[in-house]
Amino acid sequence: MNFLRSIDPVWISLGPILVINLILLTSLLYFLATRDRWPVPSEVKTRPNSKFLSGVLKHWWYWNNEPIGKFFMRLGWTPNTLTFLGFLFSIVAAFFYGNGLFGYAGWLMLFGSTFDLFDGQVARLTGKVSRSGAFFDSVMDRFSEGIIFLGLSFYFRDSWILFFLLLGLIGSMAVSYTRARGEAVGVDVKKGSMQRPERIVYLGCASIFEPMTTYGLNFIWPVPPPVLVIAAIVLIGVMTNVTAVYRMIYVMNELDNREKAGIETLPKMLSRLTTPEGREKLRSEWKQKKLGS
């Protein structure tokens, strides 16, 4: 651990970033130039664009990692093995988060989360797609995310940031639960701005750039806090709960439309407030009622 701390913090961020980002940028530019050649994966089709992560970037990320998935397939690794490996990376990332080594933690978390793509790709390529595998993957995702929050909570245990970490943990679990519960009652809901991919990208990127940011702030701030990580935590803490509430309203509205057609219910009204057309219609109805009174 002392050896890791002795490394110039700038290079924790800058060293891998210069190499990896150059490779990824080249890959992205090539993908954008030839995008029409590559079929859109079902995972991207079924996940609508969010305000925090575009569908084009999701498509590119799946395309970019497909060769790695094929490599694991040739090694004979099973999808469940890859899922569990991703979880192990999350454990190590949580350890680094707990010790304040955000740069290392960010890379480990992003790399571990990428296994979530590999297991699905290997399952499709080998014809081993199964409901038990999908269930195992979903459960391990929750464990992986929870242990990351645990590591961060240990580091920020005496800080006000702990409140937003707990808020983010509750919101993250609620986002997943509203989807699972919605599907159980016959409503497919994958809407929302802060789903798991967005949470991983924002926290991971903030962590990777944190050592470099802290190094720069040292010139004007004797002991700067990890501002990028804090910003990501606050954003996740707020937006996960917004997403969960939005999903809850959406599911309730869908169920009310089936069971209470023609009756104005609170979920229906709240759902209409989420679209410009719905808000305009509510405004017109309110004006008509006001004129009528």
Side-chain angles (χ1 to χ4, degrees):
M1 190 63 66
N2 289 331
F3 167 73
L4 295 177
R5 294 186 187 279
S6 67
I7 300 175
D8 191 332
V10 171
W11 292 107
I12 298 174
S13 295
L14 197 56
I17 284 173
L18 288 176
V19 177
I20 295 175
N21 282 8
L22 181 61
I23 296 172
L24 292 179
L25 180 61
T26 304
S27 169
L28 177 60
L29 292 175
Y30 175 77
F31 171 79
L32 292 175
T34 61
R35 181 183 167 193
D36 294 338
R37 300 183 193 174
W38 316 112
V40 181
S42 58
E43 291 87 348
V44 177
K45 289 181 180 178
T46 55
R47 283 183 180 271
N49 289 349
S50 74
K51 295 179 181 178
F52 293 96
L53 195 61
S54 73
V56 174
L57 287 177
K58 293 177 186 177
H59 184 189
W60 164 69
W61 191 246
Y62 273 88
W63 169 83
N64 190 67
N65 288 287
E66 186 175 359
I68 304 176
K70 291 180 178 178
F71 171 73
F72 285 128
M73 181 189 70
R74 286 194 292 269
L75 290 178
W77 290 14
T78 66
N80 286 350
T81 300
L82 295 172
T83 299
F84 189 72
L85 279 175
F87 171 66
L88 294 180
F89 272 98
S90 295
I91 293 176
V92 180
F95 172 77
F96 281 114
Y97 272 126
N99 285 276
L101 296 168
F102 298 111
Y104 296 110
W107 285 116
L108 284 166
M109 186 187 70
L110 286 176
F111 187 68
S113 299
T114 305
F115 277 88
D116 201 33
L117 302 181
F118 299 151
D119 57 12
Q121 288 176 340
V122 170
R124 288 188 299 275
L125 291 170
T126 58
K128 294 182 179 179
V129 177
S130 66
R131 288 190 295 177
S132 65
F135 175 78
F136 179 68
D137 181 50
S138 296
V139 173
M140 295 310 294
D141 283 349
R142 305 289 81 75
F143 276 117
S144 296
E145 196 162 19
I147 202 164
I148 291 294
F149 276 104
L150 183 63
L152 285 165
S153 297
F154 179 79
Y155 180 79
F156 289 107
R157 60 190 180 278
D158 297 321
S159 169
W160 59 271
I161 304 300
L162 182 62
F163 168 77
F164 284 96
L165 281 167
L166 296 177
L167 196 65
L169 178 60
I170 294 170
S172 298
M173 299 304 150
V175 166
S176 300
Y177 183 77
T178 49
R179 176 183 173 182
R181 188 59 184 156
E183 291 175 347
V185 296
V187 180
D188 187 21
V189 53
K190 297 179 180 178
K191 298 177 179 292
S193 299
M194 193 56 72
Q195 303 177 61
R196 187 165 184 265
E198 287 84 351
R199 299 194 294 269
I200 291 170
V201 169
Y202 274 76
L203 180 58
C205 290
S207 302
I208 289 168
F209 284 98
E210 185 57 57
M212 189 164 54
T213 305
T214 301
Y215 183 84
L217 289 175
N218 271 322
F219 292 102
I220 58 174
W221 199 339
V223 186
V227 290
L228 291 183
V229 172
I230 290 173
I233 290 170
V234 172
L235 178 66
I236 291 170
V238 174
M239 291 308 301
T240 50
N241 286 277
V242 170
T243 299
V245 171
Y246 174 76
R247 285 186 170 187
M248 179 180 67
I249 293 171
Y250 176 83
V251 172
M252 293 177 68
N253 178 55
E254 288 294 309
L255 294 174
D256 282 347
N257 284 335
R258 299 174 188 178
E259 301 170 0
K260 302 176 182 179
I263 302 175
E264 185 71 8
T265 63
L266 181 60
K268 286 184 181 181
M269 186 178 297
L270 292 175
S271 181
R272 287 162 65 182
L273 286 172
T274 61
T275 63
E277 297 81 6
R279 289 192 293 271
E280 183 61 33
K281 189 174 181 181
L282 282 173
R283 193 179 296 112
S284 299
E285 291 175 357
W286 181 78
K287 287 181 179 179
Q288 289 176 1
K289 288 181 180 179
K290 189 175 180 181
L291 291 173
S293 61

